[in-house]
Amino acid sequence: MKKIDRILRSQGGHWVGDGFPVRSIFAYDREAQENSPFLLFDYAGPYNFPPALAPRGVGQHPHRGFETVTIAYEGEVAHRDSTGGGGTIRPGDVQWMTAAGGIIHEEFHSPAYTKTGGPFRMVQLWVNLPQKDKMAKAGYQGLTSAEIPVVELANGAGRARIIAGEMDGVRGPARTFSPINLWDVRLDRDATVTLDLPEGHTAMVAVLSGHVTVTDTGDGAGEAEIIRFTREGSRVTLKADGDAMLLVMTGQPLGEPVVGHGPFVMTSAADIRQAFADFQSGRFGAVEA
Ligand code: MN
């Protein structure tokens, strides 16, 4: 059985551009090895945007050395990047962007959502790349809701959408560079579920809404809190107190240095200096007008 290692909480909210009111629950400047291969977890919303004339969001900016995974629950985000990748993600869709050797992108509310406004809720998770893949070619996987398989949990406890990795032999569509599970889990009112999480993986359960109790100890977590479990052991049993919306993340720790500055995460200070030099000299390409 996995035990609770620590409960991670946001230290306060901030805006990313004018489109993403986020609570940053963890970032790579603290406990980067404990959280490996995950680098950052921003919970955007829940929030209600009024209708607007111009799309809110964040303009062109670079990334290098990792992947950004954006999971849309409510609202719509349109993305364009320097590889020519792009698209709109809607509730249930996931954007898995591989920055790797370098990408420039922009993230804005879609024109349709801008016009109507309404509820907004997204997660952006940064997944580190192994050192050998950090300079790989950038890429973009737009995963639609229809492509993401659903597993019904035992005893009618709820359901899990398998974005990456595998549950009960059902595989998620995301291609990853290292072993990762990413499951969108909904627990029905007061349900209890036992999850089998890989021994040796960093394992986290993010509570997006509701509250869950880890039945082993009676400790729990509520909205915008992440339960990080020990790497030893494999099973965790959770009881929902009411309905609960969870994001379950596990990953094989990379065990490599994490040296980052803003949108660049590499394994040495020299690599970070190189990232700034490459970006400033235009080697990340451009988003086509
Ligand atoms: Mn970005």
Side-chain angles (χ1 to χ4, degrees):
M1 191 182 299
K2 284 188 185 291
K3 299 195 178 322
I4 296 177
D5 178 25
R6 201 159 89 70
I7 310 277
L8 312 181
R9 294 182 179 88
S10 166
Q11 305 299 309
H14 66 276
W15 282 79
V16 176
D18 63 359
F20 304 93
V22 306
R23 285 173 281 183
S24 200
I25 306 182
F26 64 84
Y28 59 77
D29 60 336
R30 292 184 59 198
E31 298 192 309
Q33 294 303 324
E34 287 85 344
N35 295 334
S36 176
F38 305 111
L39 292 170
L40 175 145
F41 189 104
D42 274 356
Y43 185 21
Y47 192 84
N48 207 65
F49 281 99
L53 294 173
R56 301 178 179 94
V58 52
Q60 296 189 21
H61 61 279
H63 292 287
R64 172 181 278 183
F66 57 95
E67 302 184 286
T68 67
V69 180
T70 307
I71 302 150
Y73 295 93
E74 296 177 280
E76 297 184 356
V77 167
H79 154 100
R80 292 192 309 150
D81 69 48
S82 52
T83 72
T88 299
I89 53 169
R90 300 182 171 83
D93 298 343
V94 175
Q95 173 200 295
W96 198 293
M97 188 187 80
T98 304
I103 203 165
I104 294 176
H105 76 152
E106 58 179 37
E107 301 158 276
F108 283 102
H109 295 178
S110 73
Y113 173 71
T114 298
K115 196 177 285 183
T116 60
F120 190 87
R121 187 198 302 260
M122 309 234 164
V123 164
Q124 188 167 87
L125 172 69
W126 291 11
V127 179
N128 206 1
L129 289 171
Q131 183 173 19
K132 67 176 174 53
D133 299 314
K134 279 183 174 289
M135 293 302 287
K137 196 165 166 293
Y140 176 86
Q141 302 173 65
L143 310 172
T144 62
S145 181
E147 293 173 83
I148 299 172
V150 179
V151 173
E152 294 293 330
L153 302 173
N155 308 315
R159 60 219 61 80
R161 300 169 66 236
I162 312 303
I163 299 164
E166 174 270 296
M167 179 193 278
D168 296 344
V170 176
R171 289 205 66 81
R175 295 183 304 277
T176 67
F177 285 77
S178 63
I180 280 165
N181 288 293
L182 188 61
W183 306 334
D184 168 10
V185 174
R186 312 297 171 97
L187 296 182
D188 291 337
R189 181 159 294 272
D190 302 335
T192 298
V193 67
T194 296
L195 300 173
D196 207 349
L197 308 178
E199 172 104 33
H201 274 209
T202 299
M204 301 185 185
V205 173
V207 181
L208 303 182
S209 72
H211 186 278
V212 294
T213 300
V214 180
T215 61
D216 177 27
T217 60
D219 293 312
E223 181 180 312
E225 295 183 331
I226 292 179
I227 308 169
R228 189 176 68 207
F229 291 94
T230 56
R231 288 178 184 158
E232 302 74 41
S234 59
R235 292 163 81 83
V236 301
T237 300
L238 304 172
K239 181 185 177 301
D241 308 305
D243 297 327
M245 184 189 296
L246 312 175
L247 188 62
V248 177
M249 302 163 273
T250 88
Q252 185 175 295
L254 299 179
E256 295 174 342
V258 174
V259 181
H261 192 104
F264 307 133
V265 182
M266 304 299 286
T267 58
S268 72
D271 286 346
I272 294 296
R273 285 192 294 274
Q274 190 64 49
F276 276 98
D278 289 349
F279 171 59
Q280 280 153 9
S281 62
R283 264 172 274 175
F284 279 49
V287 180
E288 279 184 33

